[in-house]
């Protein structure tokens, strides 16, 4: 079975500062990895995904994430955040070959302050 | 945005009453899911479907049932609602590879 740990439940940052949201996963088989974002009172939307190939993945709104197999991590980064990035971010994992189900982390609430 | 709607968007009901939530898609995706979202728990899978009349349980399926009689509709039923089922419910659709598209959510309050 897979599991996902998001190491920070809340991350406050100032506008234009860099941010890193941390995600570690556990799985005995190869996985696909995802980051989803949820703006207030909305559903989740896909930010970026790692399926195979380059371990550095770029997503929407200037976010990127790096897959590190040896550390079983998939941290999300943005070099300069905006007020509009305030949202909750979820890391998720799916099993290769059984990828019809996602396992989500508990979420990290990013608050960008002026 | 993926064509996925949920109804109702908000509902208040009393303990012990049955409740049905509807998810409708226009994308003809094979997989459909029901999640609940609660503070501190993230999203937890209730049930999912991998085709018409093909469904399976998720990690928090007790007290819930589902049906999928058409590709486009996935119904979630609370047979006898309890206060612990107060939550925000999200439907999602997928063609596999882990990439899911989410509906806007239904906020359910059981009093």
């Amino acid at each position: 079975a897979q599991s996902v740990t998001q190491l920070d439940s809340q991350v406050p940052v100032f506008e234009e500062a860099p941010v890193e949201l941390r995600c570690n996963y556990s799985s005995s088989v190869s996985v696909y990895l995802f980051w989803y974002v949820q703006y207030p009172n909305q559903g989740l939307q896909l930010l970026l995904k790692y399926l195979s190939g380059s371990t550095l993945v770029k997503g929407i709104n200037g976010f990127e994430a790096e897959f590190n197999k040896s550390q079983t991590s998939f941290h999300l980064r943005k070099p300069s955040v905006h007020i509009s990035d305030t949202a909750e971010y979820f890391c998720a994992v799916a099993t290769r070959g059984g990828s019809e189900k996602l396992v989500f982390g508990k979420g990290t609430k990013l608050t960008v302050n002026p | 945005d993926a064509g996925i709607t949920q109804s109702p968007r908000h509902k208040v009901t009393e303990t012990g009453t049955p409740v049905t939530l509807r998810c409708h898609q226009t994308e003809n995706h094979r997989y459909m899911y029901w999640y609940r979202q609660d503070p501190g728990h993230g999203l937890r899978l209730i049930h999912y479907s991998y085709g018409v009349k093909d469904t399976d349980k998720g990690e928090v399926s007790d007290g819930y049932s589902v049906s999928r009689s058409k590709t486009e509709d996935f119904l979630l039923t609370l047979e006898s609602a309890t206060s612990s089922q107060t939550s925000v419910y999200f439907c999602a659709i997928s063609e596999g590879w882990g990439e899911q598209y989410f509906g806007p959510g239904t906020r359910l309050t059981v009093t």
Side-chain angles (χ1 to χ4, degrees), chain A residues 101, chain B residues 45-50 55-62 64 66:
Chain A
K101 289 195 292 184
Chain B
L45 182 65
I46 304 171
H47 283 279
Y48 71 103
S49 169
Y50 44 96
T55 65
D56 205 351
K57 296 178 180 180
E59 65 176 296
V60 290
S61 59
D62 287 349
Y64 301 94
V66 291

Side-chain angles (χ1 to χ4, degrees), chain B residues 18-47:
Chain B
V19 176
T20 295
L21 309 183
R22 180 180 182 240
C23 177
H24 178 77
Q25 62 152 325
T26 58
E27 305 295 322
N28 202 37
H29 282 3
R30 176 183 177 188
Y31 300 101
M32 297 186 77
Y33 309 81
W34 277 108
Y35 293 91
R36 60 178 291 173
Q37 183 178 27
D38 304 288
H41 290 277
L43 272 82
R44 293 181 290 175
L45 182 65
I46 304 171
H47 283 279

Side-chain angles (χ1 to χ4, degrees), chain B residues 10-14 82 85-87 89 107-111:
Chain B
H10 302 271
K11 186 169 183 68
V12 179
T13 192
E14 293 184 348
T82 67
Q85 294 175 312
T86 291
S87 187
Y89 291 86
R107 187 173 295 274
L108 176 68
T109 302
V110 183
T111 61

Side-chain angles (χ1 to χ4, degrees), chain A residues 32 36 38 49 99-100 106, chain B residues 33 37 40 97-100:
Chain A
Y32 302 124
Y36 283 83
Q38 184 181 32
K49 60 186 176 185
S99 58
E100 71 275 11
K106 295 185 178 181
Chain B
Y33 309 81
Q37 183 178 27
W97 299 97
E99 186 167 347
Q100 296 183 13

